[in-house]
Structures are given as C-alpha cells and as structure tokens.
Amino acid sequence: MLSLRQVRYFIAVADTEKVSAAATQLGISQSAVTLAIKDLEATLGVTLFTRRSGGVSLTQEGQNFRTHAENIEFVVDDAVASMQQKMPDLSGKIRLGVTYTASGYAFFPLLSRFQRRNPSIDFDLVEASREELETMLAREEIDIAFMLVSNLSSPDRFHSKVLKKSPRRLWLANTHPLIRQETVSMAEVAAEPYVFFKVDESDKAGRRYWQDTGHEPNVVFETGSLEAVRSMVATGHAVTILSDLVYRPWSLDGGRVERRPISDTVPSMDVGIAWRHGYRFGPAESRFRDFLIAAIDE
C-alpha cells in the first residue's frame, strides 16, 4: 500500500535530485530513503527515477506521479489543519494581480488550498505584466500583486515579501556534452547556441546577469513560448538558463531536458507579494498573506 511517508520521501528526492540531499533534508538515513522509493516503485509498477552523474532525474512516469504526490500532500495538510483549532470564518474580497509566470507555475494550487480553508473570501483576479501591476498598485486598482518581486522597478514605492527563491540553472539536452559535468561555467555556456525566454522580463534579467559575469550569450532565438524553449533545448538546438520554478523535464514532443548548476554567481528568481506603501491590510488580506508565507515554507 502507498504510504504518506513514501510520498514525502519521493517529493524530497524529486526536489533535490539527490538521495543524500533528500535524506539530510528529512533527517533520516540514505538507506531509508532508497528503500522507501524502491517500495513505492514496486507498488506503482513504474520506475520513478533514473540515475545520472551526481544524482537522479525523474522519469516521465515520475514526473506524472509528482503532480499526484503533491496533491496528496496538500490534501493531508488541509485535513490536519481542518482538525486543529479552527480560525473564525472571514468574508471579504481581495483585489489581486498576478504576472504570467506566477499565475502559470505557482499561484493556483495555493489559491485552491486557501479557498478550501476560507470559502467566504473571494478574489478579483487580473493577470498583467510587472509594469502594469505596479501602475495598478499605485492607482489603488488592486491591493496585492503576486509576482516576481526580484523584477520590481521601484522597491522604494512598494513593500514586498519574498516567498520563494527559485535558483536558476542551465537547461540542456540529455545528450549534450556538458551533461557529464557537475557544474558549468558561464564561459562554457557562452560557447553554445542560446535561446532567450522573453516572458516576465526573463530576457532582461538574463542579460543583466550575463553582463555581470563578463560574458556574452550566443543568442540564436528569442521566444515567448516556454514550450518552444523546451523543444529547442531537448533537441539539442540550444541551451538556456532558467529558474527551477518553470522547469519540466519533458518537451511536448517527448524530448528530455536536463539541468546543471552554474558555477558563476547567477541570482535567483524571487516570487512573492507586493503592495503599495501606506496600504493597511484588512483581515482577509492579512489571512491570505500569512497563509502564503506558511504554505511556501512547508
């Protein structure tokens, strides 16, 4: 029978891509993690991980199961929370703006969990660019923005709270020669054909940290389609540097995308919330803010 312990061990290995790192994070032995994963694979009848130099990678079956595993963990957490001291019911409406990356890769599972616990709190949602959200905050058209706070143009105009720092790593095909290395330098990346992802100012942030390292990328394509990026990388036409938040190991055409750490200093992509100076959080906004902080830390 599948157990919650196996699910949590699986998620830890999937997140860290190393059995040893997962064991350290969980505070248990490597052998206990390895045995739990083997038992889980036997129960499911599939292989969840493949071994590679320096760690493990999810198989396609493993990637599919990861979504189910995270849902299992969320449901259990919600069940525990519902049996603990119940918070008084709150009603209200939160005017919330989200950027593309935040809404597509981080926000809606959190929103679903929050609304299960707080069914009387409603949301007015709008998706917009970082510049548009900053304008809407300043004009008091929205109350909070869930966005890449590392991109804020005027931090002195807004308060912000970082919820998650997502490291940026090199994406490359599983047949690429650099796959044999534990880490890759920016000088080595500069020698490869490079694709820039343009959504949410990813290309602008990329050019900033490329400039800081003193190297120049060999850009062969720029696109607003993340699936196009994955396809180019998986087929070996280019490499790129993107954050773990948007990483998926498989392209739509079935190709495999791998990751390697960058040995040079590359800033993380920081997801969080922003609000205008002087704005006083009401009870509903305060509960949502506190929930996000707690949920990201889980």
Side-chain angles (χ1 to χ4, degrees):
M1 292 292 292
L2 182 148
S3 71
L4 181 60
R5 175 180 59 84
Q6 291 171 334
V7 168
R8 285 185 165 151
Y9 289 9
F10 164 79
I11 291 173
V13 176
D15 284 344
T16 61
E17 296 187 327
K18 289 186 178 182
V19 173
S20 58
T24 300
Q25 176 181 304
L26 294 163
I28 58 175
S29 66
Q30 290 188 45
S31 59
V33 176
T34 299
L35 181 59
I37 296 300
K38 286 183 178 179
D39 288 346
L40 180 58
E41 290 178 324
T43 298
L44 299 174
V46 298
T47 300
L48 298 171
F49 295 98
T50 55
R51 292 194 172 276
R52 58 170 173 76
S53 176
V56 296
S57 298
L58 285 169
T59 62
Q60 188 159 12
E61 291 82 3
Q63 185 65 32
N64 292 339
F65 180 68
R66 180 174 186 165
T67 299
H68 296 295
E70 290 173 344
N71 287 337
I72 290 168
E73 193 170 44
F74 290 159
V75 169
V76 170
D77 288 344
D78 285 345
V80 171
S82 70
M83 299 304 293
Q84 294 172 344
Q85 184 175 1
K86 187 173 178 62
M87 293 183 293
D89 191 28
L90 282 179
S91 62
K93 182 169 288 187
I94 300 174
R95 300 180 303 168
L96 181 72
V98 292
T99 54
Y100 169 83
T101 301
S103 67
Y105 295 91
F107 177 66
F108 285 102
L110 294 170
L111 177 63
S112 178
R113 292 175 64 189
F114 178 79
Q115 291 196 304
R116 286 199 298 271
R117 299 181 189 182
N118 302 273
S120 298
I121 296 178
D122 297 322
F123 287 81
D124 277 342
L125 295 175
V126 59
E127 183 182 86
S129 67
R130 186 267 310 162
E131 300 99 320
E132 291 170 319
L133 290 185
E134 288 189 16
T135 298
M136 294 175 76
L137 284 171
R139 292 177 177 174
E140 303 185 13
E141 296 171 354
I142 58 174
D143 304 317
I144 308 171
F146 188 88
M147 61 188 298
L148 307 184
V149 293
S150 49
N151 288 350
L152 277 172
S153 65
S154 304
D156 57 319
R157 296 172 57 203
F158 306 102
H159 293 292
S160 64
K161 170 68 177 177
V162 175
L163 299 173
K164 185 177 183 66
K165 288 181 174 288
S166 180
R168 288 182 168 99
R169 291 194 268 183
L170 175 69
W171 293 15
L172 68 172
N174 60 355
T175 56
H176 197 286
L178 292 176
I179 201 72
R180 295 189 291 268
Q181 299 182 194
E182 289 295 315
T183 62
V184 182
S185 70
M186 292 294 276
E188 291 171 309
V189 179
E192 302 292 329
Y194 194 89
V195 54
F196 259 129
F197 179 52
K198 298 193 295 184
V199 171
D200 260 359
E201 304 174 291
S202 179
D203 54 331
K204 294 180 182 178
R207 286 186 167 88
R208 283 196 300 270
Y209 60 70
W210 270 101
Q211 186 176 33
D212 290 343
T213 64
H215 299 285
E216 184 81 17
N218 176 24
V219 180
V220 296
F221 192 57
E222 299 186 35
T223 177
S225 167
L226 195 52
E227 294 306 330
V229 172
R230 288 195 183 98
S231 184
M232 284 193 71
V233 171
T235 54
H237 285 88
V239 300
T240 195
I241 296 172
L242 285 172
S243 86
D244 285 356
L245 181 69
V246 299
Y247 172 75
R248 302 292 184 272
W250 301 98
S251 64
L252 290 179
D253 49 15
R256 176 81 189 188
V257 178
E258 296 286 354
R259 291 175 293 178
R260 287 295 180 269
I262 303 295
S263 57
D264 301 76
T265 300
V266 174
S268 61
M269 188 179 78
D270 300 342
V271 180
I273 54 175
W275 61 97
R276 61 186 173 274
H277 280 301
Y279 178 69
R280 296 180 65 85
F281 278 69
E285 292 94 339
S286 294
R287 182 170 292 184
F288 183 58
R289 176 198 58 198
D290 294 345
F291 164 80
L292 287 176
I293 294 170
I296 293 292
D297 287 340
E298 287 175 1

